[in-house]
Amino acid sequence: MTHLGRIMLEELQRRNYADSTARYYLRAVEEFARHFGKSPDKLGLEHLRTYQAYLLKQRKLAVATSQVAALRFFFVRTLKRREFREFLPVPKRASAAARHSEQGRSRTADQLQPETSSSARC
């Protein structure tokens, strides 16, 4: 594993990412670098734009995929390159998960209220 790979893995572990997610993120960054034949820290916004187009057109993947999440983590968290935060969108699934989480909380609150039994109505 490269020095950058070790740093990224440490960042993922510090944030308690699942082992499978960490492996996937590392592989996604490796594929990104291999696509251009350069170290990923030497690549910039224009490379990301080109790679996103490649994922969309050639590999038929949605732009807001796990690859984008992995690249966003790599550039923003591992390399501390904040300019990538705005350029790489957070996948829509993240906001859907937040809504689902909120719905789960309201259901839990509803479950805590006492139920009216059918015999009490008689």
Side-chain angles (χ1 to χ4, degrees):
M1 181 180 292
T2 66
H3 176 68
L4 282 174
R6 279 191 296 277
I7 293 171
M8 184 174 176
L9 181 59
E10 288 171 5
E11 288 296 319
L12 288 160
Q13 290 170 339
R14 279 179 357 113
R15 289 171 172 78
N16 205 26
Y17 278 69
D19 289 341
S20 59
T21 302
R23 282 192 305 272
Y24 181 84
Y25 276 28
L26 289 165
R27 188 171 355 120
V29 173
E30 182 182 311
E31 288 175 10
F32 172 66
R34 191 177 320 123
H35 181 78
F36 293 102
K38 294 182 178 182
S39 177
D41 62 325
K42 305 291 187 228
L43 301 172
L45 293 174
E46 195 56 42
H47 294 99
L48 280 170
R49 185 183 327 273
T50 303
Y51 191 64
Q52 285 179 314
Y54 161 76
L55 291 175
L56 183 63
K57 294 177 184 174
Q58 302 296 319
R59 294 194 45 202
K60 308 289 187 214
L61 298 175
V63 175
T65 61
S66 300
Q67 276 98 346
V68 173
L71 294 172
R72 186 175 206 274
F73 186 93
F74 174 73
F75 283 105
V76 175
R77 299 290 185 194
T78 304
L79 296 182
K80 312 287 190 242
R81 291 171 66 178
R82 303 292 184 220
E83 69 272 18
F84 285 81
R85 181 179 303 203
E86 301 276 326
F87 187 77
L88 290 166
V90 175
K92 288 183 180 179
R93 277 189 275 161
S95 59
R99 280 194 306 274
H100 179 70
S101 175
E102 289 174 12
Q103 290 170 351
R105 280 196 297 266
S106 65
R107 266 190 250 119
T108 302
D110 292 342
Q111 291 169 350
L112 293 175
Q113 295 177 356
E115 292 184 25
T116 313
S117 67
S118 57
S119 61
R121 285 187 224 154
C122 297

